[in-house]
Amino acid sequence: MGGRFTWPLIHTEAPQALADSYAEFLVRAQEEQRLAGAFYRAVREAARREVPLLAAGNTTALQAARSLAERLASERRLAYVIYCHGARYPVQAWAEAATLAKSAVAYNAGTLNRAREAGVTHMEVFDGAGCGWTSHKDPDKATGTLRTVEQAAAWPISHPRCSRAFGPRPDVTTAG
């Protein structure tokens, strides 16, 4: 009230410490982004060599995963993949899960595309007994159910290592 106001030292140190922490956080975030970019490029480069062999039928998904993991381990010295929640997975386990998931999605997409071409509108789902439609926890259990081709295309698998497959049902023309 007419006098000069100054912040006490305790109040000026707190924002300064916060600003310093923010600068450190930005540096750490930039480094994480750089490492993630390097990992992405390494995986993409290795996958470019291995996935065509899988697609051409010259190798199984597990063989392709093993080759991908070996390539990442030897050429990029990657032993673990660290997920965003901090979990560390051996590169072999990650490559196997990723390769199996991608090959299952591709296989099911091929089945669904062929069914569409043939005019089939419904598919029977073959999956693990406890597997839900969108995840293991989904109470809508998938195996033995009938789904439209569009529904099947939306959920070709529900989780990594999913064993889901579809069988065309030309005898079914409406939901019911």
Side-chain angles (χ1 to χ4, degrees):
M1 324 262 174
R4 187 170 164 232
F5 174 80
T6 58
W7 286 96
L9 184 58
I10 193 170
H11 294 297
T12 57
E13 287 177 344
Q16 185 59 47
L18 186 59
D20 293 344
S21 296
Y22 183 71
E24 290 172 16
F25 172 74
L26 283 178
V27 168
R28 179 75 174 137
Q30 288 169 338
E31 178 62 10
E32 290 297 324
Q33 187 175 19
R34 185 191 69 73
L35 290 172
F39 175 73
Y40 174 74
R41 286 187 298 280
V43 168
R44 190 171 57 185
E45 178 186 325
R48 271 194 206 124
R49 296 180 193 168
E50 302 303 331
V51 173
L53 298 174
L54 176 61
N58 295 346
T59 185
T60 67
L62 291 176
Q63 290 169 330
R66 193 173 309 111
S67 295
L68 176 60
E70 288 169 2
R71 187 177 303 277
L72 291 171
S74 66
E75 293 178 7
R76 301 297 179 163
R77 294 174 180 52
L78 288 173
Y80 294 94
V81 174
I82 302 172
Y83 282 48
C84 62
H85 59 7
R88 295 169 59 99
Y89 291 93
V91 71
Q92 175 66 36
W94 174 85
E96 205 171 278
T99 305
L100 289 171
K102 292 297 183 183
S103 64
V105 168
Y107 176 84
N108 286 339
T111 300
L112 297 171
N113 288 339
R114 184 64 193 109
R116 279 187 194 105
E117 289 173 0
V120 174
T121 60
H122 287 78
M123 307 296 284
E124 184 171 352
V125 182
F126 305 103
D127 208 343
C131 192
W133 181 243
T134 62
S135 70
H136 271 295
K137 293 181 181 182
D138 188 344
D140 178 10
K141 300 304 175 198
T143 199
T145 62
L146 295 176
R147 307 289 173 145
T148 66
V149 172
E150 290 74 26
Q151 289 170 324
W155 288 99
I157 63 172
S158 67
H159 57 85
R161 300 179 186 271
C162 188
S163 63
R164 180 170 296 166
F166 299 103
R169 289 293 303 271
D171 57 315
V172 178
T173 57
T174 60

